[in-house]
Amino acid sequence: MNATGPYPLFRSLHRLSVPGSRINEDGIGLHGRFAWVIDGATGMADEQLTAGGSDAAWLAGRIGEQLMKLCGNRSMDEALGRLEADIRSAFGEATAHVLAIDDHHAPSACLGLIEAQPGKAAISASRAVSWET
């Protein structure tokens, strides 16, 4: 963590995310006072629903993109609340062509999010996220 003025911010010293298979379904990121790790889970369905390398890769990528947008001046709770709504909407748009999606079709991921605050660290419990329509 790098204290820049009165506000602590994270800075990247090194990042590495190596896929366990040919497609990386994980992600890492940081923005301002937030840092996160995303662990996408390979789906159980035979058919792919989204345009990503896999549905889990699509989900991990979308979560990372949205966190970069949301973790500016919002609190952790506001960012997570907005993230869930944004991802649910994006998944609905990405799968509008699919007639029915069962629980085993929807991609899932685990998110670990930390927020640096002056004089303390507030850590969000990891949240498992999955969506169904």
Side-chain angles (χ1 to χ4, degrees):
M1 192 163 55
N2 181 27
T4 54
Y7 302 103
L9 302 175
F10 287 102
R11 67 181 169 136
S12 178
L13 299 177
H14 180 74
R15 293 187 207 196
L16 179 63
S17 180
V18 179
S21 64
R22 63 181 180 79
I23 298 169
N24 193 347
E25 297 178 335
D26 303 327
I28 55 176
L30 54 94
H31 183 65
R33 64 185 196 279
F34 292 93
W36 57 86
V37 175
I38 305 162
D39 182 12
T42 303
M44 295 172 50
D46 292 332
E47 66 276 1
Q48 187 169 330
L49 303 175
T50 65
S54 72
D55 292 334
W58 175 90
L59 178 59
R62 185 56 64 113
I63 290 170
E65 290 169 9
Q66 290 304 109
L67 283 171
M68 286 297 289
K69 295 175 187 175
L70 296 172
C71 290
N73 296 324
R74 291 181 172 89
S75 71
M76 185 182 295
D77 288 339
E78 290 171 333
L80 287 172
R82 181 72 187 268
L83 174 67
E84 189 167 355
D86 288 353
I87 297 297
R88 186 177 304 279
S89 175
F91 184 67
E93 290 174 19
T95 59
H97 64 284
V98 181
L99 297 177
I101 300 174
D102 294 325
D103 285 344
H104 72 281
H105 287 111
S108 61
C110 183
L111 169 63
L113 179 66
I114 186 169
E115 178 183 13
Q117 296 178 349
K120 60 182 177 178
I123 301 174
S124 169
S126 294
R127 289 174 75 150
V129 290
S130 66
W131 288 266
E132 62 182 87
T133 58

